[in-house]
Amino acid sequence: LLRAVLERSTAPDEIALAVRTLGHALRSAGAAATDATDVELSRALEWLHAETPAAAGRSHRRLSSCLIVTELAMRSGPQAASAVAARLHEVTAAVWVALQDPLSETRIAAIGMLRSCLAIVSQREGGLGAWYEAALSRSLAGIQSYHPEAAAADSPSSSASSSAPRPIEEGGGSSGLDEAHGCLCALSELLSGELLSLALGPLHPPSPPLL
């Protein structure tokens, strides 16, 4: 039943409930959940990288995938978090795919993925450093690539030839506006107080004790 919901449901609330149930099942299974965790993570990454949002329902698979990865990383126990950490490069690459999705719920869920990735990185030796810088650069690039004038020219009202549906790029979102919104959300997350302090460390050395 969970698998059917995660694969075919188009209701975000149903998908979120199914993912929480999946996380609870994995936590309850303990060490026996290792194989199931690997299967769920692999499927989520496959959906994120292989699916395009052109057909109805595929954006909701991306939503399922984002929520599953976040659940595994943050709330399904240390073994699941370790599985995500072992494939961190794949997971972080998938974040930027999901941030371009035409479904706003998927883009918001991708922020949860980004947050979980950076939380894992922050616990590693060396800290956020280069990971944070790369995410910041990618967010700014996505925002700067959006040109409202070009988007207006492509709108249905700009010309009769624009009445045909706009093609959706393989692996990307339905428009530059989707990507710009996703990257703005990512930038907001990166500049939040907690992540910024983890990335930069203390801005001032501690004051010496008063004598």
Side-chain angles (χ1 to χ4, degrees):
L1 179 59
L2 283 179
R3 178 53 45 207
V5 172
L6 294 174
E7 287 186 1
R8 294 191 288 273
S9 177
T10 59
D13 289 345
E14 286 184 2
I15 294 170
L17 180 59
V19 170
R20 288 196 296 270
T21 304
L22 173 63
H24 177 73
L26 292 175
R27 286 194 301 274
S28 301
T34 301
D35 290 342
T37 297
D38 290 339
V39 168
E40 295 298 337
L41 181 58
S42 294
R43 182 182 288 116
L45 291 173
E46 178 184 352
W47 283 352
L48 282 164
H49 285 295
E51 297 285 356
T52 65
R58 292 189 176 182
S59 284
H60 292 88
R61 279 195 174 186
R62 287 177 184 256
L63 173 59
S64 295
S65 300
C66 291
L67 294 176
I68 287 171
V69 172
T70 303
E71 187 73 21
L72 293 176
M74 305 301 290
R75 293 181 289 273
S76 299
Q79 290 184 328
S82 296
V84 175
R87 302 179 68 173
L88 201 55
H89 286 282
E90 290 178 75
V91 174
T92 51
V95 166
W96 302 105
V97 177
L99 282 171
Q100 301 175 56
D101 196 89
L103 188 68
S104 61
E105 289 89 347
T106 301
R107 299 196 298 271
I108 298 303
I111 298 302
M113 268 183 72
L114 176 63
R115 187 183 303 120
S116 67
C117 289
L118 295 177
I120 290 173
V121 173
S122 69
Q123 298 170 9
R124 290 182 162 189
E125 184 179 352
L128 283 174
W131 290 83
Y132 183 91
E133 184 179 346
L136 192 61
S137 296
R138 180 63 182 82
S139 298
L140 292 172
I143 296 167
Q144 293 167 352
S145 67
Y146 176 62
H147 300 289
E149 298 83 1
D154 288 340
S155 67
S157 60
S158 62
S159 66
S161 62
S162 298
S163 59
R166 180 176 177 174
I168 298 173
E169 295 180 1
E170 181 75 18
S174 61
S175 73
L177 182 58
D178 294 329
E179 180 181 6
H181 171 256
C183 289
L184 274 170
C185 291
L187 184 62
S188 176
E189 180 68 23
L190 291 167
L191 296 179
S192 67
E194 181 180 359
L195 278 177
L196 193 59
S197 62
L198 285 172
L200 300 180
L203 297 179
H204 303 286
S207 301
L210 296 176
L211 298 177

